[in-house]
Amino acid sequence: MSLESDGGGGAGAKRRRVDEQGAQRKELEAAPVVRISALPDDLRRRILTRLPLKDAIRSGALAQGWRDLWKSRWADPTSCRAIHLLPGENPREVLETLESVPRRRLDRFSFVFENYKFRQPHLKRFFAYAAECRVEDLHVEVRGCNIGDGRPIFHLPLSSPLLAHLSLRNMTLFDMYYKGARPFYFLEPIHLHSINSGVKFSKVMALCPRLHTLDLRCCGCSRDNMLYGAEACTPLSLRRITLAVCNYGGIRLDLLPMPSLCSFRYSGRFSTSLFYLPKDATLTDLYICFSDREAIHQFFYYELDRALPDDLSGLTVLTICSNALKIASSLFNGRATPQWTKMNNLRSLRELQLLILGMEMDNLANIYLFLKACHCSNLERLFVQACSSRLPVMCPWRILLDN
């Protein structure tokens, strides 16, 4: 009786199945490398620009085509254009020279002007040029001059659809062309310095669904025009907010949905423009500096406790000024400690920076009381910045740590 070796259950069929499985496994293992290596060089360089340098160098192990590619990951100098319009220059001639160049994509467009001959129509032509070049990083700054009787006007909806980074200084945001405007899906950080606004900032945020960083400094806008009342338009990805010397009145951020907020930095007058943060915010970085020169009224002391989130146990870096320490010490002083429970548990705090705005003798006592009451058991670094020529600007206060 003979056995057929080429049957369905024979050794030949088994060997074929093993070979087919091995080939399929090799295809699956090689497929991701083949797909990513098939990308154009420009796209692969763009991927490398998103990586830290050491990780970009390690990418050479992916395949032969990735070796040494990290050395050319930075943008071509011709993809960045910077224009500085000086007082003696003719804006029309500069524009004609710029527009005579064939359009090509620009990574960054920086435009700084201090020229009294410059007018709003000229600025619109510059913005149109930047939009046609599909600029990703746009910086516009006015120095020492106005256009006509007011500041130059910036219209966000007329910008490049690929805009990813926006920086404006000494300008005006104006409510125009917002109806039916397209969203800016790539715009993530916005930096505004000395900006007046004729539009509710909620409309700006509504056009930026991926906005994660909002930096506002010296902006003279009312709360109604900027942050107040933007409940339905605040990007859920907003993670970092900076408000420095801004004249808003009460800043009610607690009315806005900010589930991702992890960093808040504030500098201003406590008595006139106090902030209120979302109660459920999980901050890891907090900066508070009150610039009030006169004594802060006792009425405002408990307002600071109300302004902070309910849980600060995840805070890792805290920067706080001596004015805020004075408020905290009054609340920590035995009788009022239950009113200041939010600061009683800073178990995750690793770094504490103290901004001493004066040389009063009470500051040392306030610092001691703050450290004693906050239970900073994992504190590793303590720095004190003293606003006096007699002391170094930044020095570790090791005596307090030792005690």
Side-chain angles (χ1 to χ4, degrees):
M1 185 175 179
S2 63
L3 296 176
E4 298 291 336
S5 60
D6 57 348
K14 183 178 181 180
R15 187 162 46 250
R16 285 194 300 271
R17 288 196 298 269
V18 172
D19 293 341
E20 290 174 358
Q21 292 175 357
Q24 292 176 357
R25 188 180 299 109
K26 290 181 179 179
E27 290 178 359
L28 292 175
E29 294 174 352
V33 178
V34 171
R35 283 197 292 268
I36 196 171
S37 296
L39 296 174
D41 288 348
D42 291 342
L43 187 54
R44 287 191 288 162
R45 290 191 187 96
R46 183 173 292 274
I47 294 175
L48 294 181
T49 60
R50 306 292 183 180
L51 299 177
L53 179 59
K54 62 179 182 179
D55 293 334
I57 296 175
R58 291 173 180 171
S59 66
L62 293 175
Q64 182 70 26
W66 289 82
R67 187 169 299 174
D68 295 332
L69 187 63
W70 64 272
K71 295 181 180 179
S72 60
R73 69 177 184 149
W74 292 279
D76 190 331
T78 59
S79 67
C80 302
R81 187 177 296 276
I83 297 177
H84 189 173
L85 193 61
L86 298 175
E89 294 182 299
N90 189 329
R92 181 173 298 178
E93 294 180 356
V94 176
L95 271 169
E96 292 176 352
T97 302
L98 181 66
E99 293 173 344
S100 65
V101 179
R103 304 294 189 271
R104 57 168 298 173
R105 194 190 65 80
L106 294 177
D107 289 331
R108 188 173 194 272
F109 185 76
S110 175
F111 179 44
V112 179
F113 66 93
E114 40 187 332
N115 188 301
Y116 288 95
K117 298 179 181 179
F118 203 81
R119 294 293 181 267
Q120 187 66 36
H122 299 148
L123 186 60
K124 287 185 178 180
R125 289 173 63 182
F126 274 99
F127 288 153
Y129 176 85
E132 292 175 4
C133 294
R134 304 176 73 80
V135 171
E136 296 184 19
D137 186 347
L138 179 62
H139 172 74
V140 184
E141 179 178 350
V142 182
R143 295 180 182 176
C145 67
N146 293 329
I147 295 181
D149 297 329
R151 293 183 177 185
I153 297 174
F154 176 78
H155 303 293
L156 177 62
L158 301 182
S159 301
S160 165
L162 299 182
L163 192 64
H165 185 282
L166 176 63
S167 174
L168 303 177
R169 188 183 181 101
N170 197 20
M171 301 189 68
T172 297
L173 288 175
F174 192 69
D175 190 3
M176 187 175 181
Y177 304 118
Y178 279 90
K179 186 177 181 180
R182 64 181 183 279
F184 292 85
Y185 292 107
F186 304 100
L187 184 56
E188 296 180 346
I190 294 180
H191 301 271
L192 304 180
H193 194 295
S194 302
I195 297 296
N196 287 334
S197 178
V199 58
K200 286 188 177 181
F201 203 74
S202 58
K203 294 186 178 181
V204 177
M205 292 192 292
L207 296 178
C208 311
R210 297 181 59 182
L211 182 68
H212 64 64
T213 299
L214 182 60
D215 191 322
L216 306 178
R217 302 173 188 264
C218 303
C219 296
C221 312
S222 66
R223 65 177 184 175
D224 291 330
N225 280 348
M226 293 302 287
L227 296 173
Y228 193 84
E231 297 90 341
C233 305
T234 306
L236 299 179
S237 58
L238 196 58
R239 298 196 299 268
R240 290 181 288 273
I241 296 180
T242 299
L243 300 174
V245 197
C246 295
N247 183 19
Y248 291 144
I251 303 172
R252 300 304 303 267
L253 298 178
D254 57 330
L255 302 178
L256 311 179
M258 297 183 181
S260 301
L261 184 64
C262 61
S263 175
F264 180 76
R265 306 176 69 83
Y266 175 86
S267 176
R269 297 190 61 186
F270 175 78
S271 57
T272 59
S273 58
L274 181 62
F275 59 87
Y276 293 89
L277 295 177
K279 298 303 180 183
D280 58 347
T282 55
L283 297 180
T284 59
D285 179 18
L286 178 62
Y287 179 107
I288 302 177
C289 182
F290 297 136
S291 58
D292 301 73
R293 295 185 178 181
E294 66 277 3
I296 300 177
H297 195 275
Q298 185 78 21
F299 171 77
F300 293 103
Y301 281 12
Y302 294 104
E303 291 300 313
L304 180 59
D305 184 65
R306 290 180 52 200
L308 296 174
D310 291 335
D311 185 9
L312 294 176
S313 60
L315 202 64
T316 58
V317 179
L318 173 63
T319 304
I320 189 169
C321 70
S322 55
N323 285 340
L325 281 176
K326 183 178 180 179
I327 297 174
S329 64
S330 68
L331 296 174
F332 278 137
N333 191 11
R335 300 183 303 275
T337 300
Q339 300 294 334
W340 192 248
T341 55
K342 297 177 183 179
M343 280 285 189
N344 281 347
N345 185 10
L346 299 179
R347 61 176 180 268
S348 300
L349 194 66
R350 297 291 189 274
E351 180 174 327
L352 176 61
Q353 300 182 17
L354 304 177
L355 310 178
I356 306 302
L357 305 180
M359 302 310 297
E360 291 82 3
M361 294 299 297
D362 294 340
N363 285 333
L364 185 60
N366 292 336
I367 294 173
Y368 174 77
L369 184 59
F370 181 84
L371 292 175
K372 181 179 180 181
C374 289
H375 303 100
C376 308
S377 57
N378 293 314
L379 188 63
E380 299 174 354
R381 295 178 296 276
L382 174 61
F383 298 95
V384 177
Q385 178 177 344
C387 300
S388 173
S389 58
R390 298 180 181 178
L391 295 176
V393 174
M394 188 72 73
C395 60
W397 207 312
R398 297 188 181 279
I399 297 178
L400 292 178
L401 282 179
D402 294 337
N403 293 332

